[in-house]
Amino acid sequence: MENTVQVGTRFPLTIKRLDINGRGIGYYKRKITFVEGALPGEVVVAQVSAVHDRYLEAVTHRVKKASPNRVKPAEPLYGQIGGVELNHLAYPAQLQFKRDVVAQSLAKFKPAGWQHYELRPTIGAADPTHYRNKAQFPVRVIDGHVRAGLYAPHSHHLVPLTTFLTQRPKTMQVVTALCQLLEELAVPIYDEQKHAGIIKTLVVRESAATGEVQVTFVTNSPKLPHKAQLLAGISAQLPDVVSVSQNINPGETSLIWGPETQLLAGQPYITEQLLGRNFEVSPQAFLQLNPAQTEVLYTEALKALDLRPGAKLVDAYAGIGTIGISLAKAAGEVRGMEIISAAVDDANRNAKLNGVTNVHYELGTAEDLFPQWLAQGFKPDAVIVDPPRSGLERPFIDALLKARPQQFVYISCNPSTLARDLVPLTRAYQVDYIQSVDMFPQTARCEAVVKFTRK
């Protein structure tokens, strides 16, 4: 009879490689075991944290033989919160890992010709710390004090944060000051157990270009007690905060944002700059979290797209229009679509702001609007897509394969869904290269730009 493994069981394990989430992979009695905090080539004592039929999950109890790439984590809370899962891995090795993640995903889905794709070395960040321009933290009362932070993995235990390795320092200073203000004014804080209280989440976004800060209070009700004193306190203590909003998200929900956002004070937007263009960002609009690397990513996308003068370009999954507006100079006409109405408004307003007249954004899904445009006789020369982690929807892929634009570039933030989407896409296109870009240093997340040529 097999030796039963339980939660808490410990055994030595040799780590073969990292999985796509940055966990070490080893085999215990031929059963695949995923080990948090372990690196390839290491021998660790693994302690089982969960038992499943086909695999085990474990944490590193101690390291018996360390990898030469192991470093001391710079984040003091490493291992207690997410968002820094690779902080124990030297940065050059993190970049190598991100290229390997793309390779692993290709080997799993096997799109046409995948063994021969050129996987370029990952482009790293000049500074792999303090890059996130947005903090989106739940707020709770802990030991009688108002605290904001991140949940410990797989739990609703809040770990309070006043500094964090990957956040821009100003975002953290503003979060800490807001907690202090909320505590002094005794504004009711949300209690998950009782489903009572008002303030659920703090969202703080900073513009790297202008230093402007946008604050949004996500609340359980339209009421915001002590609103006047709160706004007066922000005005007195936090001069960089130029935009304060309230988003109403009542009841129990895993979604951070509710449907309604109201401006409480200041201006509705902050302005960020990318590739020499200005972008006004409203509270709910999507903007890449790492401004410096966003410019690197978009520059790679521009190179890969290699637009012909006068080309008709489709900017799918457009956000606030950052890509389309950056590319508009080189194009004849740019059309984009996005599913958040505030972002569509932002995109069209940002085109005007930059004096760009050949760009137009519409509200709707890429999979609905793109086939409609084609049916109306629109013939794109070039298409650029930057979908969410879920990748491209099948109706969009079908429409793209029908239109077969000459130029096509895919910006991916999830190698798994990218590799899945490449299976149908490689019927009409060959992959010239995949350029990975490290948008989120210290994490297992990886962005990539794919250049295609029509077959």
Side-chain angles (χ1 to χ4, degrees):
M1 182 175 146
E2 188 189 337
N3 199 350
T4 54
V5 174
Q6 297 160 319
V7 171
T9 302
R10 288 177 192 163
F11 45 77
L13 197 66
T14 301
I15 304 301
K16 304 288 186 201
R17 59 187 170 92
L18 293 181
D19 80 339
I20 59 170
N21 299 309
R23 297 179 298 181
I25 291 180
Y27 294 87
Y28 179 67
K29 302 196 170 167
R30 296 210 289 275
K31 197 176 213 181
I32 192 165
T33 305
F34 298 98
V35 190
E36 304 268 355
L39 295 174
E42 292 191 329
V43 180
V44 301
V45 176
Q47 182 169 325
V48 176
S49 56
V51 178
H52 306 270
D53 287 345
R54 321 233 337 233
Y55 65 98
L56 300 172
E57 291 180 82
V59 295
T60 303
H61 174 64
R62 69 187 171 88
V63 180
K64 292 178 76 168
K65 177 181 160 240
S67 160
N69 291 318
R70 179 176 281 278
V71 293
K72 184 180 186 308
E75 170 52 60
L77 291 170
Y78 168 80
Q80 295 172 53
I81 46 176
V84 284
E85 58 272 17
L86 294 185
N87 196 207
H88 61 314
L89 181 60
Y91 192 55
Q94 289 187 31
L95 298 178
Q96 178 62 45
F97 160 74
K98 294 191 183 196
R99 183 177 175 274
D100 292 346
V101 169
V102 175
Q104 280 186 50
S105 302
L106 293 172
K108 182 180 171 190
F109 288 94
K110 300 183 170 51
W114 65 276
Q115 298 100 319
H116 308 294
Y117 294 174
E118 182 191 343
L119 302 186
R120 296 185 168 178
T122 307
I123 300 172
D127 181 358
T129 63
H130 301 301
Y131 57 82
R132 291 178 71 99
N133 57 5
K134 183 166 135 186
Q136 191 164 277
F137 291 163
V139 187
R140 297 292 180 263
V141 175
I142 299 175
D143 300 331
H145 293 288
V146 176
R147 297 282 187 253
L150 293 170
Y151 292 124
H154 323 299
S155 84
H156 264 226
H157 164 67
L158 189 80
V159 179
L161 295 173
T162 52
T163 63
F164 191 41
L165 182 72
T166 57
Q167 285 289 153
R168 293 177 67 89
K170 194 191 286 184
T171 60
M172 298 306 297
Q173 288 152 13
V174 171
V175 165
T176 305
L178 290 172
C179 286
Q180 188 72 38
L181 261 174
L182 291 167
E183 186 174 318
E184 285 166 12
L185 295 169
V187 179
I189 304 300
Y190 186 65
D191 181 324
E192 265 182 314
Q193 269 64 52
K194 298 178 183 157
H195 309 301
I198 305 277
I199 305 276
K200 283 182 162 179
T201 307
L202 288 179
V203 186
V204 174
R205 177 145 54 184
E206 176 196 351
S207 162
T210 61
E212 295 175 328
V213 176
Q214 183 176 58
V215 168
T216 310
F217 295 101
V218 181
T219 61
N220 188 35
S221 78
K223 286 202 306 278
L224 183 52
H226 312 299
K227 189 193 305 189
Q229 294 115 299
L230 186 58
L231 294 173
I234 291 171
S235 172
Q237 295 176 31
L238 298 167
D240 290 336
V241 175
V242 298
S243 169
V244 185
S245 295
Q246 178 183 1
N247 174 267
I248 299 144
N249 186 16
E252 296 173 66
T253 165
S254 60
L255 298 173
I256 288 169
W257 294 91
E260 193 188 344
T261 303
Q262 300 167 347
L263 183 68
L264 301 182
Q267 58 202 44
Y269 320 104
I270 57 171
T271 303
E272 185 56 280
Q273 284 167 358
L274 289 169
L275 300 177
R277 305 273 195 184
N278 289 323
F279 294 97
E280 290 181 348
V281 190
S282 59
Q284 269 181 273
F286 172 78
L287 182 71
Q288 296 278 9
L289 289 167
N290 184 338
Q293 287 297 87
T294 299
E295 292 201 323
V296 171
L297 185 75
Y298 289 176
T299 302
E300 287 302 319
L302 258 162
K303 276 198 302 207
L305 200 56
D306 189 22
L307 278 181
R308 307 273 182 274
K312 290 189 185 124
L313 171 67
V314 171
D315 174 15
Y317 308 89
I320 58 167
T322 41
I323 293 175
I325 292 167
S326 298
L327 295 172
K329 262 204 300 252
E333 177 192 354
V334 180
R335 287 192 188 193
M337 71 288 270
E338 167 59 51
I339 55 170
I340 295 172
S341 64
V344 175
D345 296 343
D346 286 354
N348 286 315
R349 200 185 55 258
N350 284 322
K352 281 202 189 73
L353 179 74
N354 289 288
V356 172
T357 54
N358 59 340
V359 174
H360 170 68
Y361 288 96
E362 286 181 37
L363 179 66
T365 64
E367 57 273 19
D368 285 345
L369 285 179
F370 188 54
Q372 276 174 35
W373 293 347
L374 297 177
Q376 290 157 7
F378 178 71
K379 288 191 171 64
D381 304 299
V383 172
I384 189 162
V385 297
D386 185 7
R389 290 184 65 73
S390 51
L392 298 175
E393 297 292 333
R394 197 53 207 245
F396 179 85
I397 293 178
D398 293 341
L400 186 82
L401 292 175
K402 205 167 135 192
R404 290 183 60 161
Q406 183 76 40
Q407 262 68 40
F408 172 43
V409 164
Y410 188 144
I411 300 176
S412 163
C413 60
N414 183 346
S416 290
T417 53
L418 169 65
R420 179 203 70 198
D421 292 346
L422 286 175
V423 174
L425 289 171
T426 46
R427 287 184 208 144
Y429 290 91
Q430 74 179 29
V431 172
D432 293 358
Y433 63 76
I434 301 178
Q435 174 65 69
S436 42
V437 175
D438 189 17
M439 189 70 93
F440 300 103
Q442 318 307 330
T443 78
R445 300 266 301 269
C446 174
E447 308 262 330
V449 173
V450 188
K451 178 172 169 55
F452 295 92
T453 301
R454 196 167 66 180
K455 284 184 175 172

